[in-house]
Amino acid sequence: MSMKILTVDDSRTMRDMLRLALTAAGFDVVQAIDGVDGLDVLERENPEIVITDINMPKMDGFGFIEGARKIERFRVVPILVLTTESDPDKKQRARGAGATGWIVKPFDPVKLVDVIRRVAA
Amino acid sequence: MDPMQAIRETFFQECEEQLGELETGLLSMQEGAADDETVNAVFRAVHSIKGGAGAFKLDRLVKFAHVFETTLDKIRTGQLAPAPALMKTMLRAADVLADLVAVSRDGGAFDDNRSNELIAELSGHSGAPQAEPQASEEMPEANPFAALGWEPVTLEIGPELKEYVIGFRPKPELYAKGNETTRLMRELSRLGSLSVHCEIADVPLLANLEPEQSYLSWRATLRSDQDLATVQAVFEFVDGDCHLDIEAVDSTHLPELPALEIAPEVEAEESAPDPVAEAKVAASATPEPPKTVASAPETRAPREPAKAEAGGAGAAAQNTIRVDLDRVDRLINLVGELVINQAMLTQRVLEAGAVKNASISTGLEDLEHLTRDIQESVMAIRAQPVRPLFQRMSRIVREIADATGKNVRLKTEGEGAEVDRTVIERLADPLTHMIRNAVDHGLERPEARIAAGKPPQGEVRLSAAHRSGRVVIEIADDGRGIDRSKVKAIAIKKGLIPADALLSDVEIDNLLFLPGFSTAETVSNISGRGVGMDVVKRSIQALGGRISITTRVGHGSTFSLSLPLTLAVLDGMVVKVADQTLVVPLNAILETMKPKSGEVYGLGPDSQVIGIRGGFTPLIDVGYELGFRAHRADPMSGVTLLIETEGGMRSALMVDAIQDQRQVVIKSLEANYGHVDGIAAATILGDGRIALILDTDAVVHRSSGRSASSEMLLAG
């Protein structure tokens, strides 16, 4: 059984890139297009790892992480934020919301998988 | 296709959508609607473009988007007000961004001065220095560690082993964020050889144990050739959520000694009695990466008109599929066959003598409705909203308004109307031209408008609506309207009509569509680029469309385009010519008539003209022209179709009889047989017979090639 990863991003380009990099590394990928959709897919698909963008319509990444952490079975699921923002404020806000770690865009597929393996059980 | 190439295409497709959003958002901000939702959407659009551009290493695009984004962020956070001057700059920046996207996609030259100028302007507004994006964002390829969010010290120190003693005590917050000591230790073990000891002294008695508290601490000894920064980076995600103490022990002179001997306290702890508390993680314990490549379903969304609505209901990302256009076309073709087949079946049943109310007739009627529904649904797959096309026009309006010193507002309506993708693609040029015309020729300058009692700001209205199975696109301006006496005078001066021609208002308006007509006294380099409305008309006709003008002097003009929703079917007139059945595209036919004796004149041995309302029009016998018969038929015995061809010329086509008027499914002749001059395509009629669809332009062209006399006899 390959590990299931949920990617939450409003950009189709990013979703496609993540899918490409992650499926090539052997992960199973499910997708969502914003925070609201993300919470929905999260409950339905029970992913083992979550990667989320920050800037999204409807519900941003911070809201999504807070929402996910309120669900009992996702309290300790690794959630990585994926964003172009490398400034420390954004990272700290994401961590405050409960993010496990972060990946800075644009990502190198190899490094992406490395970061995921770092937090994967 | 190479998957990266496919993603690249998705990226540019998405860029188009984002640019549309950007434009729409900026325009509503300009009109004073700078609410959070709008500003955020605008910010996200630029942000997404930057993000994707970074992934494809489109540095120029990243750099520009970054400065743009910085300014937008200032507005978003309220540090900067969206004043009119700033909004103007941003709209121009959106244009430059669009150009940069286009250049990145298609290649070609780009004047860096343009972007630099705007970067300076934007930075001027936002008060920021001309900030370069941070290195980690700007040059991902130069820094492979960017994904980790830190800068490694790149000192080449060789394979010398160093020793680190790491004291680690997690706080409860660490676990609350989904981090795990085990994973951190596993990460450390990848850097070299590791021994780990757990300190359990703080663990309380079971009765006092708080499940959410953190009681354990660890001491790890790592022997590695990695530098301190690399070791620290392992704890990057838990910084602040633990007590961490990393000490580098200089062990270069003791490379052979086992870890136990340099760290006696570790040795002492190693003899701790509780084996559960001891976690020894070796590199070999690293789990194998899963090998099976998951065959996740393809869930890309090529176009999502309903994206916003579908988002909340579930994964819109998973509700759309991307299908090859060829497959859709094949399906459309097959459904076309189905429609023909159904018509044939109905006809046969009726021929076999079934009565109207027989149950088989009812069944056939149901079948007919079903096939129509299927056909419409299938056609809808190729349909796309005109929104992106309309969004592009606002830029055209802006540019031309700037160039002509006019104050113009573009109002769009019905952007959701859907039309065949190919129709949309081929509509861009004619629409651009008409919009340019509307601003350049239609609208007056602000002073002239005020003098005429109108508001100084002119309005161009672009609308789309579905009307009786077609889409009608209107370009209306509230300008001065067409000065008919001037139009007529120009047409006479240019020899397009005889000086004594008697023309109705509509006929005068239609003179604009004649080749070589330009109302601007000096040909401006904006709308008068050597192409006139005749080219516009030709491209609309090539799409099976019609164009018309209505105008009110002093109140403005409206150009109205009526277009088919699809190119797969055609409205045609079924005619009989020398025992052959032909289909004439309905959009080419102006009127039909029965010639009377005395109206047809011979003009040399090989050509005839027909007198229509005081003018003469070349008369072409279709049967003779296509070689169905050796001699001309008597014009009085047939029916004449007055058609309009390329360049607004009129000709009369003579056929033997009109049989029907119906929608036919177009079958390519080139794909199935080969090109035949004078024939555009073929179709299959309800009775199973094949009918050729006439290419009226080609027929007229063939004919006039032989008798060059017709041009001078243009009738109004």
Side-chain angles (χ1 to χ4, degrees):
Chain A
M1 256 298 273
S2 48
M3 196 176 275
K4 194 190 269 184
I5 301 187
L6 165 66
T7 64
V8 189
D9 201 312
D10 59 325
S11 154
R12 208 157 62 227
T13 311
M14 273 308 151
R15 286 202 301 271
D16 282 359
M17 289 196 120
L18 285 168
R19 177 193 287 289
L20 182 68
L22 296 174
T23 49
F27 295 105
D28 209 349
V29 179
V30 289
Q31 302 179 324
I33 59 167
D34 57 46
V36 177
D37 189 28
L39 289 176
D40 195 45
V41 179
L42 189 70
E43 296 238 45
R44 211 159 8 119
E45 297 281 349
N46 288 312
E48 289 142 282
I49 296 179
V50 179
I51 299 175
T52 178
D53 188 24
I54 287 183
N55 282 294
M56 292 183 290
K58 290 189 189 164
M59 183 193 279
D60 62 15
F62 305 127
F64 167 73
I65 297 168
E66 279 163 12
R69 291 288 183 229
K70 282 189 191 127
I71 304 168
E72 182 60 33
R73 64 182 194 280
F74 298 114
R75 279 182 58 197
V76 296
V77 164
I79 302 178
L80 294 167
V81 291
L82 178 67
T83 173
T84 40
E85 260 85 10
S86 56
D87 67 285
D89 288 357
K90 281 260 159 56
K91 286 181 195 168
Q92 287 317 315
R93 252 193 92 186
R95 287 185 53 180
T100 309
W102 55 84
I103 300 161
V104 178
K105 284 193 281 190
F107 56 82
D108 170 335
V110 178
K111 295 289 161 191
L112 168 78
V113 173
D114 271 3
V115 178
I116 291 166
R117 297 241 157 88
R118 273 171 70 182
V119 298
Chain B
M1 200 193 312
D2 168 21
M4 276 314 276
Q5 191 54 36
I7 295 176
R8 198 181 152 93
E9 274 173 28
T10 305
F11 166 65
F12 283 117
Q13 203 177 40
E14 208 168 29
C15 276
E16 288 303 319
E17 288 161 28
Q18 306 284 10
L19 288 168
E21 294 264 322
L22 173 63
E23 176 117 28
T24 312
L26 286 177
L27 286 173
S28 37
M29 280 168 74
Q30 196 181 31
E31 306 217 328
D35 55 281
D36 283 0
E37 192 39 53
T38 309
V39 178
N40 276 329
V42 165
F43 175 82
R44 269 199 311 274
V46 177
H47 184 75
S48 288
I49 291 175
K50 181 180 123 180
F56 291 106
K57 304 185 168 71
L58 304 169
D59 293 345
R60 270 203 298 203
L61 192 51
V62 173
K63 184 176 163 200
F64 188 78
H66 179 78
V67 178
F68 199 172
E69 184 192 26
T70 309
T71 312
L72 284 166
D73 197 36
K74 287 240 157 70
I75 295 177
R76 195 166 70 135
T77 52
Q79 298 170 54
L80 202 60
L86 174 59
M87 289 314 302
K88 253 196 137 111
T89 306
M90 297 224 283
L91 279 163
R92 281 174 47 224
D95 294 345
V96 169
L97 190 67
D99 289 346
L100 276 167
V101 167
V103 168
S104 306
R105 177 185 51 213
D106 308 325
F110 182 82
D111 181 7
D112 278 323
N113 289 333
R114 275 183 68 208
S115 58
N116 290 338
E117 204 178 286
L118 270 161
I119 287 177
E121 248 182 84
L122 285 171
S123 310
H125 280 292
S126 62
Q130 296 187 22
E132 291 278 325
Q134 293 175 19
S136 59
E137 293 185 39
E138 171 75 336
M139 292 176 296
E141 73 279 31
N143 179 7
F145 295 91
L148 298 174
W150 47 265
E151 292 282 343
V153 181
T154 47
L155 277 177
E156 213 38 74
I157 43 163
E160 281 176 80
L161 288 182
K162 282 188 296 268
E163 187 166 295
Y164 302 93
V165 176
I166 301 150
F168 174 67
R169 185 191 173 98
K171 298 181 189 168
E173 293 91 315
L174 182 142
Y175 298 109
K177 289 170 191 163
N179 277 302
E180 277 283 354
T181 307
T182 329
R183 291 186 216 134
L184 292 164
M185 293 305 152
R186 186 181 70 200
E187 211 47 45
L188 276 180
S189 76
R190 287 191 184 144
L191 301 177
S193 67
L194 182 75
S195 68
V196 188
H197 303 280
C198 184
E199 176 58 63
I200 56 162
D202 292 341
V203 180
L205 291 173
L206 192 58
N208 302 329
L209 195 127
E210 297 252 0
E212 302 261 303
Q213 260 303 328
S214 166
Y215 299 107
L216 301 176
S217 58
W218 283 265
R219 179 160 291 269
T221 308
L222 173 71
R223 301 194 81 197
S224 167
D225 55 359
Q226 299 292 320
D227 56 32
L228 182 64
T230 312
V231 179
Q232 280 167 338
V234 169
F235 297 93
E236 170 187 39
F237 290 163
V238 296
D239 183 31
D241 291 336
C242 63
H243 302 285
L244 182 68
D245 172 37
I246 303 177
E247 196 187 330
V249 183
D250 185 6
S251 61
T252 46
H253 57 288
L254 295 167
E256 302 303 326
L257 293 179
L260 296 181
E261 292 185 28
I262 359 159
E265 55 169 337
V266 170
E267 186 187 17
E269 280 186 294
E270 200 168 28
S271 59
D274 192 350
V276 183
E278 182 182 307
K280 228 181 194 146
V281 190
S284 61
T286 310
E288 279 287 297
K291 286 220 171 60
T292 45
V293 175
S295 60
E298 279 291 298
T299 55
R300 288 189 218 116
R303 287 270 159 179
E304 307 175 357
K307 189 174 177 177
E309 297 84 54
Q318 302 187 337
N319 283 345
T320 46
I321 53 164
R322 177 185 276 198
V323 183
D324 206 43
L325 214 50
D326 285 347
R327 287 196 198 181
V328 176
D329 287 346
R330 209 155 61 223
L331 181 62
I332 289 178
N333 217 339
L334 283 172
V335 172
E337 303 269 358
L338 180 67
V339 170
I340 292 165
N341 225 285
Q342 170 268 324
M344 279 167 61
L345 187 62
T346 308
Q347 197 154 343
R348 298 236 170 104
V349 169
L350 288 176
E351 277 167 10
V355 267
K356 262 275 178 228
N357 55 359
S359 63
I360 186 153
S361 300
T362 324
L364 280 171
E365 263 170 43
D366 290 347
L367 178 66
E368 185 179 339
H369 287 140
L370 261 177
T371 30
R372 289 271 163 219
D373 285 354
I374 293 176
Q375 191 178 26
E376 275 170 27
S377 311
V378 169
M379 300 291 190
I381 298 177
R382 273 192 67 106
Q384 286 177 353
V386 295
R387 181 172 293 109
L389 182 66
F390 278 20
Q391 281 169 343
R392 241 188 290 169
M393 293 304 139
S394 69
R395 169 173 184 183
I396 309 283
V397 167
R398 208 156 52 238
E399 282 177 350
I400 194 111
D402 276 353
T404 55
K406 289 173 183 171
N407 188 351
V408 192
R409 200 170 90 98
L410 178 74
K411 202 171 146 197
T412 56
E413 286 166 16
E415 300 98 322
E418 294 194 338
V419 195
D420 187 277
R421 180 191 151 102
T422 314
V423 175
I424 289 186
E425 279 167 7
R426 293 211 243 146
L427 208 52
D429 284 347
L431 205 56
T432 305
H433 194 81
M434 281 189 286
I435 291 276
R436 284 198 167 121
N437 265 336
V439 178
D440 192 21
H441 299 315
L443 295 176
E444 313 91 328
R445 298 182 159 281
E447 317 85 72
R449 289 185 64 90
I450 294 167
K454 297 186 198 177
Q457 188 178 52
E459 185 180 279
V460 174
R461 192 173 53 83
L462 183 58
S463 68
H466 283 287
R467 228 170 280 162
S468 51
R470 297 172 75 86
V471 66
V472 177
I473 294 180
E474 286 189 347
I475 302 100
D477 65 70
D478 65 348
R480 56 173 87 95
I482 295 173
D483 182 346
R484 295 201 174 98
S485 57
K486 203 164 145 193
V487 168
K488 197 175 166 190
I490 290 171
I492 293 172
K493 199 171 118 198
K494 297 200 171 177
L496 297 169
I497 50 166
D500 56 351
L502 282 174
L503 302 180
S504 68
D505 284 354
V506 174
E507 284 170 329
I508 294 175
D509 294 345
N510 278 302
L511 290 174
L512 293 181
F513 294 121
L514 287 181
F517 191 95
S518 171
T519 49
E521 268 143 24
T522 52
V523 173
S524 68
N525 57 4
I526 297 151
S527 39
R529 290 190 174 170
V531 290
M533 287 301 290
D534 60 315
V535 178
V536 169
K537 181 164 193 172
R538 215 180 308 153
S539 8
I540 299 299
Q541 278 177 333
L543 284 171
R546 296 186 285 266
I547 183 167
S548 61
I549 320 175
T550 50
T551 184
R552 275 178 70 205
V553 177
H555 290 86
S557 314
T558 302
F559 286 83
S560 186
L561 311 178
S562 161
L563 293 156
L565 295 178
T566 165
L567 299 179
V569 293
L570 167 117
D571 285 317
M573 189 176 273
V574 183
V575 299
K576 194 114 196 142
V577 176
D579 288 331
Q580 302 285 323
T581 308
L582 295 178
V583 175
V584 186
L586 211 54
N587 69 315
I589 301 175
L590 297 173
E591 55 187 286
T592 59
M593 62 192 86
K594 277 289 255 190
K596 295 183 194 75
S597 62
E599 282 179 346
V600 178
Y601 306 89
L603 201 75
D606 220 16
S607 74
Q608 287 178 308
V609 294
I610 182 169
I612 301 168
R613 289 186 290 275
F616 294 103
T617 306
L619 178 67
I620 299 159
D621 179 348
V622 176
Y624 175 69
E625 197 55 53
L626 294 178
F628 293 152
R629 54 186 161 222
H631 302 284
R632 287 169 188 283
D634 175 13
M636 258 62 76
S637 69
V639 183
T640 300
L641 314 176
L642 184 63
I643 59 154
E644 190 175 46
T645 56
E646 211 171 285
M649 306 285 281
R650 292 177 179 200
S651 292
L653 296 185
M654 204 206 101
V655 300
D656 297 352
I658 294 171
Q659 287 191 319
D660 196 3
Q661 189 174 309
R662 62 183 305 155
Q663 205 173 61
V664 296
V665 176
I666 301 170
K667 300 264 161 208
S668 164
L669 207 57
E670 273 93 345
N672 298 305
Y673 174 70
H675 177 73
V676 179
D677 197 27
I679 304 299
T683 188
I684 303 168
L685 297 174
D687 57 7
R689 279 179 304 152
I690 291 176
L692 299 175
I693 301 171
L694 213 58
D695 181 346
T696 51
D697 280 358
V699 169
V700 172
H701 189 73
R702 271 165 65 118
S703 163
S704 64
R706 277 203 323 280
S707 53
S709 54
S710 52
E711 279 92 314
M712 54 189 241
L713 292 157
L714 177 85

